Amino acid sequence: MDRSLPSAVDPSERVRLGLRISYALPALALAVVGIPVYVYMPKFYTDVMGLSAASAGSVLLAVRLFDALSDPLCGWISDRTRTSLGRRRPYILFGAFPLAASLWGLFHPPAWSGDPLRWWFSICVFAVFLFWTIVEVPYEALGPEITLDYDERTRLLGLRDGFVLAGILMAAAFPALLGAFLPLPETGEGERTTFRLMGALYAPFLVAACIVCATRVHERHPLGSWPAAPLSFRQNLKASLKNRPFVILLFAYTVSAFGSNLPATLILYYVQYVLGSAKADVYLMIYFVTGIVFLPAWIRLATAFGKKEAWMAAMAINTSAFAGVFFLGRGDEVLYAGLVFLSGMGFGGTVALPSAMQADVIDYHQWLTGERLEGFYIGVWSVAKKLAAAVGVGAALMLLGHAGYEPNVVQSEPVLVRLRLLYALVPSLCNAFAMAVAWAYPLDRKTHAALRRALSERSSGPWRP
């Protein structure tokens, strides 16, 4: 473990604050729309629109399985794109418009039922995730290209993921704020109005954020970094499996992400049916505000002690607090709020630090193959992230449906037991296993510095602005 103080950042690799913010803006916008899609939409379509929980879960699972091909393929294609705007920016800029239109359709369903509603939900969700891939994979691939410095990457990608948390907070707070300023009936029509307004506000915000990023953040050019015969998609996939730091990081992250997606999907159900509370929005705000407040501390810890060590500490705090939620029941709102706060202290680190570690394993791939494939690696990473979410969402909803879940009624004891298991115990076990895997991750600051020196000595050395 590297406990030495970090060396000074190479001035040529330092990123100005204005450029960091311009790069981070799309992350804020994508997070703002992500919470409704992941958290609110399943319950909205099941409890308000009348779609069965099993149908919603199967559709979300099927659409996410499609991402298993589209994400790495989109990243690989963007790696090989050559335009006057560069490799990444055309996708960020022009993919934002159909993504915004798809989100509007998902947030504004017609008053249908049965098969027509299921088809509407399926088509809109499919379009959202297709265009989300087209925008997000090249956008995230742009991040590791902006700076090659070990610690500057932590600061840059930490700010980006801080914007992710801020976007999640904005989305979580939106229904409560809307209810305060624009009283709506506590009926299905009130919820439909809420989501119509979300679509009207979120869609143009997403487009504007992507335009700012695409016009202000310029790409590096891979001068001399391509071998005479670039590897095929299949060859790069095989090479990525030989990238030991990447395999360890990806496996640990996927296990942890699967666990974290269960409470993200089930919090509305847990708070209503287990705690007997209507304050889910308040608890989400506590969690995300705490995560944002403590995120700078995790970035400083990563700079001082190493990214892996800080990530594992964040997971330990997040997990040890959240495990206590399993033992709560009806009326335990104060205890739940306290555990949410304690768990949120580690949340920012679990979000931001894997991204900074991921950027470093891309350098290792260049050392193995001579190619820089940010898009390909981000695509593979995105598959893991989305499949973890898909399996979490799909499995959670289908298991609830099979246990006898019925919307807006007092739930049976088997449903409540299953809710507590899926919401609290399974995620805690996933994080514990992920920590055991992550312990073997080998890239620290000294190792990464040696890697960069080795790349610099090659004719296909590091990228230059």
Side-chain angles (χ1 to χ4, degrees):
M1 178 171 58
D2 178 17
R3 294 184 180 274
S4 61
L5 292 175
S7 58
V9 176
D10 182 347
S12 67
E13 297 295 339
R14 191 174 295 278
V15 184
R16 300 187 313 274
L17 179 60
L19 191 63
R20 291 185 201 176
I21 293 173
S22 296
Y23 173 66
L25 274 176
L28 175 68
L30 289 168
V32 166
V33 299
I35 278 291
V37 171
Y38 292 128
V39 177
Y40 293 125
M41 281 294 108
K43 194 169 187 296
F44 172 67
Y45 270 86
T46 57
D47 289 16
V48 176
M49 299 304 301
L51 190 67
S52 73
S55 293
S58 62
V59 169
L60 289 169
L61 179 59
V63 170
R64 286 305 189 83
L65 291 175
F66 169 78
D67 283 341
L69 174 63
S70 66
D71 280 24
L73 185 59
C74 178
W76 187 75
I77 290 172
S78 76
D79 285 331
R80 283 158 171 72
T81 296
R82 298 293 183 268
T83 73
S84 60
L85 290 175
R87 302 189 296 170
R88 319 295 182 193
R89 292 189 294 162
Y91 299 99
I92 299 170
L93 184 60
F94 299 113
F97 293 93
L99 175 56
S102 304
L103 286 165
W104 167 252
L106 184 64
F107 288 7
H108 193 269
W112 294 345
S113 61
D115 287 341
L117 178 64
R118 178 172 179 170
W119 277 109
W120 179 272
F121 180 70
S122 301
I123 292 170
C124 287
V125 168
F126 177 86
V128 164
F129 286 117
L130 173 62
F131 293 116
W132 197 308
T133 292
I134 290 172
V135 172
E136 185 179 44
V137 172
Y139 165 69
E140 291 195 4
L142 184 60
E145 300 177 7
I146 295 174
T147 179
L148 302 179
D149 184 82
Y150 180 87
D151 292 310
E152 193 70 2
R153 277 175 169 170
T154 305
R155 286 184 277 269
L156 171 69
L157 300 179
L159 179 64
R160 183 193 71 188
D161 291 336
F163 272 48
V164 170
L165 297 183
I168 293 172
L169 176 62
M170 289 171 59
F174 184 87
L177 292 175
L178 184 63
F181 290 101
L182 183 63
L184 296 171
E186 296 183 4
T187 62
E189 183 56 38
E191 290 198 43
R192 283 191 285 269
T193 301
T194 297
F195 287 112
R196 282 197 294 267
L197 289 172
M198 280 187 179
L201 293 174
Y202 291 177
F205 175 52
L206 173 65
V207 171
C210 289
I211 289 174
V212 169
C213 177
T215 54
R216 293 209 61 206
V217 181
H218 297 282
E219 301 180 23
R220 293 178 182 237
H221 300 285
L223 301 178
S225 66
W226 292 91
L231 300 180
S232 67
F233 179 87
R234 182 179 178 182
Q235 289 171 322
N236 274 303
L237 185 60
K238 291 178 64 176
S240 70
L241 297 178
K242 297 178 182 178
N243 186 335
R244 182 170 175 266
F246 173 69
V247 172
I248 293 172
L249 179 63
L250 181 68
F251 187 73
Y253 174 81
T254 302
V255 173
S256 177
F258 167 75
S260 66
N261 273 284
L262 289 173
T265 301
L266 296 174
I267 181 172
L268 300 183
Y269 299 90
Y270 177 89
V271 170
Q272 179 178 346
Y273 298 118
V274 176
L275 295 183
S277 171
K279 299 177 181 177
D281 295 338
V282 174
Y283 300 130
L284 281 170
M285 290 182 65
I286 292 172
Y287 190 62
F288 292 122
V289 168
T290 307
I292 293 170
V293 168
F294 282 89
L295 177 57
W298 290 114
I299 293 175
R300 287 194 291 270
L301 285 171
T303 302
F305 294 98
K307 299 176 187 179
K308 179 184 78 173
E309 289 75 14
W311 181 37
M312 293 185 66
M315 282 197 291
I317 292 174
N318 182 263
T319 301
S320 58
F322 197 72
V325 172
F326 173 77
F327 301 99
L328 303 184
R330 200 165 192 85
D332 291 333
E333 296 185 58
V334 175
L335 286 173
Y336 178 69
L339 291 173
V340 166
F341 171 78
L342 293 174
S343 181
M345 291 173 62
F347 175 58
T350 66
V351 172
L353 297 176
S355 297
M357 297 165 71
Q358 176 199 38
D360 299 333
V361 303
I362 295 172
D363 296 337
Y364 192 81
H365 181 92
Q366 184 184 7
W367 182 77
L368 288 174
T369 68
E371 293 189 63
R372 290 203 64 87
L373 293 177
E374 286 88 349
F376 174 81
Y377 269 82
I378 294 296
V380 174
W381 185 269
S382 185
V383 168
K385 181 166 59 176
K386 290 182 177 179
L387 282 179
V391 174
V393 173
L397 293 178
M398 286 189 284
L399 286 170
L400 281 186
H402 292 156
Y405 170 80
E406 294 290 340
N408 303 314
V409 299
V410 176
Q411 303 300 323
S412 65
E413 188 61 25
V415 171
L416 296 178
V417 170
R418 192 162 294 188
L419 256 177
R420 290 165 59 227
L421 284 169
L422 292 172
Y423 181 73
L425 187 59
V426 173
S428 298
L429 293 174
C430 286
N431 261 359
F433 183 63
M435 291 168 61
V437 174
W439 186 255
Y441 179 78
L443 282 183
D444 58 14
R445 183 181 295 105
K446 289 183 178 179
T447 306
H448 185 260
L451 180 63
R452 284 191 60 193
R453 286 194 298 270
L455 290 172
S456 298
E457 293 169 0
R458 294 183 178 181
S459 59
S460 59
W463 293 19
R464 300 298 181 193

